[in-house]
């Protein structure tokens, strides 16, 4: 059978496999060095209360400022290109730990500088959550006093539930007992959604941007979003819409009582200094939408 496929194809397969293995090793080494050389940086994207227009939180989003040529045109690598490799190699554990500590330290710095309290949302990958030390590390961060736990929100995705539902619920309950909030990210793109929604001790449901995109496209797309908002509210969850890009989407969400929005309409993810200008209200990115 293998012969029928022809040696050429087989050769092609092993070549690509070797290439893949080589690239993975490279990215692992590169990421390790990135951590050591402090090339990782957090950007922040505001989360805005739909009714008042106030910034009520920020999501920390990881960026990699690489000094390597050819890896990215602007020297800025987006998480989509390295988080999967970080998860596969396990480097997500030290990286995730760095992200959590840095986000909490930034939050403390903003409080010290006199900005009003803001929720700090941090993405936690499934592998990081399943690491045996996660709760202990989280406790350590809270004990360090950088951030009042109620102002910290961990963003998890439905994928964490699939692997071991009972253990996940228990883990999330431990997080809740520490006083930390939990949100379900990219809601609607995974498998488990409706059945587990009832059992998960979450505070916020983040509607994935693919649903927000569909609002204007057709009435069914709009009805799905309305349905998710109603479902979330009936379960006493806060609802946040991701990927809000247009004034029409914002108006629709406002009319349908969505609580919070996040998206390019208000601001792209920005470096901390730019976030400070947004918080101070000096440099409103989209001054005309409200
Ligand atoms: P996410 O957690 O769902 O984050 C939202 C993503 O949507 C961000 O992409 C953000 O830049 C993008 N976005 C925000 N508003 C809009 C909009 O109006 N339109 C569009 N088209 N996109 C918008 P980003 O920063 O590239 O991050 C991608 C994903 O990488 C994140 O999705 C998250 O799953 C992961 N990620 C980012 N930072 C971390 C981290 O520190 N740890 C872990 N484990 N994952 C992270
Ligand atoms: Mg997120
Ligand atoms: Mg998301
Ligand atoms: Mg995502």
């Amino acid at each position: 059978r293998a012969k029928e496929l022809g040696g050429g194809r087989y050769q092609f397969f092993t070549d690509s496999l070797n290439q893949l293995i080589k690239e993975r090793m490279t990215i692992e080494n590169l990421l390790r060095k990135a951590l050591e050389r402090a090339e990782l940086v957090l950007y922040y994207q505001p989360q805005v209360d739909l009714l008042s227009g106030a910034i009520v939180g920020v999501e920390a989003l990881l960026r990699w400022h690489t000094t390597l040529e050819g890896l990215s045109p602007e020297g800025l690598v987006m998480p989509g290109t390295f988080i999967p490799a970080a998860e596969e190699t396990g480097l997500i554990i030290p990286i995730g730990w760095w992200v959590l500590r840095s986000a909490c330290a930034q939050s403390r710095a903003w409080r010290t500088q006199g900005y009003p309290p803001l929720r700090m949302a941090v993405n936690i990958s499934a592998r990081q959550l399943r690491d045996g030390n996660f709760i202990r590390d989280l406790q350590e961060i809270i004990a360090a006093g950088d951030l009042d736990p109620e102002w910290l929100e961990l963003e998890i995705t439905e994928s964490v539930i699939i692997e071991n539902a009972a253990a996940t619920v228990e883990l999330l309950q431990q997080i809740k007992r520490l006083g930390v909030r939990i949100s379900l990210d990219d809601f609607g793109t995974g498998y488990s959604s409706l059945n587990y929604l009832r059992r998960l001790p979450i505070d916020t449901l983040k509607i994935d941007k693919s649903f927000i995109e569909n609002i204007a496209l057709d009435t069914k797309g709009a009805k799905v979003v309305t349905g998710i908002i109603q479902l979330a509210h009936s379960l006493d969850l806060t609802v946040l819409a991701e990927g809000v890009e247009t004034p029409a989407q914002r108006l629709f969400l406002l009319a349908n009582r969505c609580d919070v929005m996040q998206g390019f309409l208000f601001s792209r993810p920005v470096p901390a200094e730019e976030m400070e200008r947004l918080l101070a209200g000096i440099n409103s990115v989209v001054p005309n939408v409200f």
Side-chain angles (χ1 to χ4, degrees):
R1 192 90 195 103
K3 262 198 183 139
E4 278 169 44
L5 287 173
R9 263 202 228 183
Y10 178 72
Q11 191 55 48
F12 174 75
F13 177 72
T14 47
D15 282 352
S16 346
L17 196 68
N18 285 333
Q19 188 58 33
L20 257 178
I21 292 167
K22 227 165 66 195
E23 273 169 17
R24 185 125 326 139
M25 283 179 56
T26 313
I27 200 150
E28 177 170 2
N29 293 336
L30 288 177
L31 272 174
R32 218 180 278 285
K33 291 212 177 75
L35 248 180
E36 287 164 11
R37 294 178 187 159
E39 292 176 357
L40 298 179
V41 43
L42 290 179
Y43 275 38
Y44 299 91
Q45 188 178 34
Q47 300 180 330
V48 178
D49 183 274
L50 266 155
L51 263 181
S52 69
I55 298 175
V56 290
V58 295
E59 178 175 5
L61 292 159
L62 192 55
R63 303 289 182 260
W64 175 9
H65 269 295
T66 177
T67 48
L68 286 152
E69 298 206 10
L71 209 57
S72 133
E74 303 88 21
L76 197 67
V77 188
M78 300 300 277
T81 60
F82 65 90
I83 293 274
E87 279 169 351
E88 246 170 273
T89 56
L91 274 174
I92 193 67
I93 311 261
I95 290 176
W97 172 234
W98 178 87
V99 168
L100 198 55
R101 261 188 10 228
S102 307
C104 290
Q106 182 60 72
S107 174
R108 183 202 193 116
W110 282 334
R111 286 303 297 275
T112 311
Q113 289 165 48
Y115 294 107
L118 277 179
R119 191 166 299 144
M120 177 61 77
V122 180
N123 293 285
I124 305 292
S125 85
R127 175 134 187 205
Q128 195 187 348
L129 196 65
R130 273 189 279 111
D131 177 60
N133 295 325
F134 185 78
I135 295 289
R136 192 206 61 195
D137 290 350
L138 187 60
Q139 273 172 317
E140 197 178 299
I141 283 179
I142 292 166
D146 274 348
L147 183 61
D148 224 329
E150 63 182 307
W151 294 104
L152 178 61
E153 184 159 281
L154 303 184
E155 297 199 355
I156 57 154
T157 59
E158 290 158 298
S159 66
V160 305
I161 307 152
I162 291 154
E163 305 183 17
N164 187 343
T168 303
V169 171
E170 167 57 27
L171 199 58
L172 298 183
Q173 276 162 351
Q174 275 181 277
I175 294 172
K176 287 302 301 169
R177 280 198 290 273
L178 294 176
V180 172
R181 292 172 58 100
I182 301 171
S183 67
L184 194 55
D185 204 354
D186 304 342
F187 179 74
T189 59
Y191 305 97
S192 55
S193 5
L194 296 182
N195 200 26
Y196 285 108
L197 208 48
R198 191 169 49 89
R199 287 176 50 200
L200 291 177
I202 56 170
D203 303 280
T204 304
L205 195 151
K206 297 187 75 173
I207 309 177
D208 190 68
K209 49 180 171 288
S210 56
F211 293 94
I212 307 308
E213 236 171 65
N214 289 340
I215 286 175
L217 237 55
D218 57 274
T219 51
K220 281 187 184 164
K223 279 179 183 161
V224 169
V225 172
T226 313
I228 297 175
I229 295 171
Q230 282 167 359
L231 173 69
H233 281 164
S234 70
L235 294 169
D236 287 325
L237 303 175
T238 298
V239 196
L240 181 151
E242 292 193 278
V244 179
E245 294 184 352
T246 69
Q249 289 167 346
R250 176 189 157 263
L251 278 179
F252 176 89
L253 292 163
L254 186 63
N256 286 283
R257 297 187 164 66
C258 183
D259 305 299
V260 185
M261 69 168 194
Q262 182 179 344
F264 296 169
L265 176 66
F266 189 81
S267 170
R268 288 180 176 263
V270 293
E273 314 81 63
E274 218 165 305
M275 189 64 221
E276 285 162 18
R277 286 196 285 276
L278 280 174
L279 290 176
I282 294 166
N283 184 10
S284 180
V285 172
V286 200
N288 296 325
V289 289
F290 294 109

Coordinates of all heavy atoms in Angstrom, one line a residue, residues 59 123 155 157 185-187 206-209 242, ligand 3:
E59 N -8.2 43.8 29.4 CA -7.7 42.4 29.2 C -6.3 42.5 28.8 O -5.9 43.3 27.9 CB -8.5 41.7 28.1 CG -7.9 40.3 27.8 CD -8.7 39.5 26.8 OE1 -9.7 40.0 26.2 OE2 -8.4 38.3 26.6
N123 N -5.8 35.9 30.5 CA -6.1 34.6 29.8 C -5.2 33.5 30.4 O -4.0 33.6 30.6 CB -5.7 34.7 28.3 CG -6.6 35.6 27.6 OD1 -7.8 35.3 27.3 ND2 -6.1 36.8 27.3
E155 N -9.6 34.4 32.5 CA -10.4 34.0 31.3 C -10.0 32.6 30.9 O -8.9 32.3 30.6 CB -10.1 35.0 30.1 CG -10.5 36.4 30.4 CD -10.7 37.3 29.2 OE1 -10.4 36.8 28.1 OE2 -11.1 38.4 29.3
T157 N -11.3 29.0 28.6 CA -12.2 28.7 27.4 C -12.9 27.4 27.7 O -12.5 26.6 28.6 CB -11.4 28.6 26.1 OG1 -10.4 27.6 26.3 CG2 -10.8 29.9 25.8
D185 N -14.3 32.6 28.0 CA -13.9 33.3 26.8 C -14.4 32.6 25.6 O -14.6 31.4 25.6 CB -12.3 33.3 26.8 CG -11.8 34.5 26.0 OD1 -12.5 35.2 25.4 OD2 -10.5 34.6 26.1
D186 N -14.5 33.3 24.5 CA -14.8 32.7 23.2 C -16.1 31.9 23.2 O -16.2 30.8 22.5 CB -13.7 31.8 22.6 CG -12.3 32.5 22.6 OD1 -12.3 33.8 22.6 OD2 -11.3 31.9 22.5
F187 N -17.0 32.3 24.1 CA -18.2 31.5 24.3 C -18.9 31.2 22.9 O -19.1 32.1 22.1 CB -19.2 32.1 25.2 CG -20.4 31.3 25.4 CD1 -20.4 30.1 26.2 CD2 -21.6 31.6 24.8 CE1 -21.5 29.3 26.3 CE2 -22.8 30.9 24.9 CZ -22.7 29.7 25.7
K206 N -18.2 35.7 27.8 CA -17.7 36.5 26.7 C -18.2 35.9 25.4 O -17.7 34.8 25.0 CB -16.2 36.6 26.7 CG -15.6 37.3 28.0 CD -14.1 37.5 27.9 CE -13.7 38.7 27.0 NZ -12.3 39.0 27.0
I207 N -19.1 36.6 24.7 CA -19.6 36.1 23.5 C -18.5 36.3 22.4 O -17.9 37.4 22.2 CB -20.8 36.9 23.0 CG1 -21.9 37.0 24.1 CG2 -21.4 36.3 21.7 CD1 -23.1 37.9 23.7
D208 N -18.2 35.2 21.7 CA -17.1 35.2 20.8 C -17.3 36.2 19.6 O -18.5 36.4 19.2 CB -16.9 33.8 20.2 CG -15.6 33.8 19.3 OD1 -14.5 33.9 19.9 OD2 -15.7 33.7 18.1
K209 N -16.3 36.8 19.1 CA -16.4 37.8 18.1 C -17.1 37.3 16.8 O -17.7 38.1 16.1 CB -15.1 38.5 17.8 CG -13.9 37.7 17.5 CD -12.7 38.6 17.3 CE -11.4 37.9 17.2 NZ -10.9 37.4 18.5
E242 N -17.3 40.4 22.6 CA -15.9 40.6 22.0 C -16.0 41.0 20.6 O -16.9 40.7 19.9 CB -15.2 39.2 22.0 CG -14.9 38.6 23.4 CD -13.9 37.5 23.2 OE1 -14.3 36.4 22.9 OE2 -12.7 37.7 23.4
Ligands
LIG3 MG1 -12.0 35.7 23.2

